Amino acid sequence: MSEPVIEVRDYRKTYGDVVAVHGISFNVMAGEIFGLLGPNGAGKTTTLEALEGLRSPDSGSLTVAGIDPVREPGKLRNLVGVQLQSAGLPESITPDEAMRFFCAYHGIVPRFDLLERLGLSDKRKAQFGELSTGQQRRLSLALAVAHNPRVLFLDEPTAGLDVATRVELHDLMRELQADGTTIVLATHDMAEAEEMSDRVAILLRGRIADMGSPLEITATGASLTKISVHTETASLAVPDLVLPAVDRRATVDEYDIFFSTDIGPTVSAIIARIESQEDTLIDLRVERPSLEDRFLEITQTGGVR
Ligand code: ATP
């Protein structure tokens, strides 16, 4: 992950009176999976579509692999893969025909193996309109990656997919990344963003509210870390026991649970207490705030860096 493949500088886009994106800047590095997150109407699609060359900016600049997607769309044809929305294909086309058509457009042999891989083997000759939503989405993914694009844009790729297909898609994304593909992933699925993204940008009302690796982002919030402890003689189960940096506590089954603002001092004090009471630790779990916790915090407080 050395040089930027996508560079966005002060990108601003309005629709009439609505300012959809207020002048945002970010880079996506080669080989990165970059998550674009945000609540409905935050400006994710407006940003993705500008990178795909479908919307021209009011001001600012965007480049993909050094190419301006609006001015020189032809140059991006074989470099970029875009997951089409289902409306992008005619109702009567079959997955086989669509694959042949897309691959001919890119000048490559049809990648029927991708249809097999994404679970469409028995639907290859069915009409697009007869496919389920999940099957249509799988087809659009197969078409987006067929030409091994250098940059792949995915908009809600796993929405409506069953668990097995979702896992298959994530495996496919990791393989593409290992081969050097840069992936921009717009998603509402925080667990997916946290699991898959190297970095994310959280958009809020057309501005970047936070940007960084999921670990960096979850580390900066006010959310508390949950520390659950189970010991042999329950030496922590003393209601008036005071531990440093503990905001509140609870007891669930045999576990004493401490919500900490700073895990270092809290965990050290827990261990010291267990030792001083000649108790024995059976289990200790530390659960950091998730990206979803942090996302909710940002969107609820409306904080923009
Ligand atoms: P979602 O998660 O709901 O898909 P999003 O983050 O992709 O949302 P955008 O679709 O980029 O958000 O929309 C950003 C803002 O721009 C919204 O206020 C939306 O209403 C407005 N907008 C988007 N497209 C148009 C359009 N063609 N005409 C007018 N306003 C638009």
Side-chain angles (χ1 to χ4, degrees), residues 212-225:
S213 71
L215 263 182
E216 284 166 351
I217 287 183
T218 51
T220 55
S223 306
L224 304 171
T225 298

Side-chain angles (χ1 to χ4, degrees), residues 15 18 20 38-46 55 188:
Y15 301 105
V18 178
N40 293 137
K44 301 180 296 296
T45 304
T46 302
R55 308 235 176 247
H188 286 114

Side-chain angles (χ1 to χ4, degrees), residues 13-16 18-21 37-49 55 155-156 186-188 203 206:
K13 179 73 188 172
T14 52
Y15 301 105
V18 178
V19 185
V21 175
L37 314 180
N40 293 137
K44 301 180 296 296
T45 304
T46 302
T47 304
L48 266 191
E49 290 186 347
R55 308 235 176 247
D155 198 352
E156 295 288 333
T187 182
H188 286 114
L203 285 180

Side-chain angles (χ1 to χ4, degrees), residues 46-72:
T46 302
T47 304
L48 266 191
E49 290 186 347
L51 290 169
E52 293 162 6
L54 301 172
R55 308 235 176 247
S56 47
D58 291 351
S59 58
S61 68
L62 303 97
T63 56
V64 178
I67 296 163
D68 180 328
V70 175
R71 293 214 186 96
E72 308 169 287

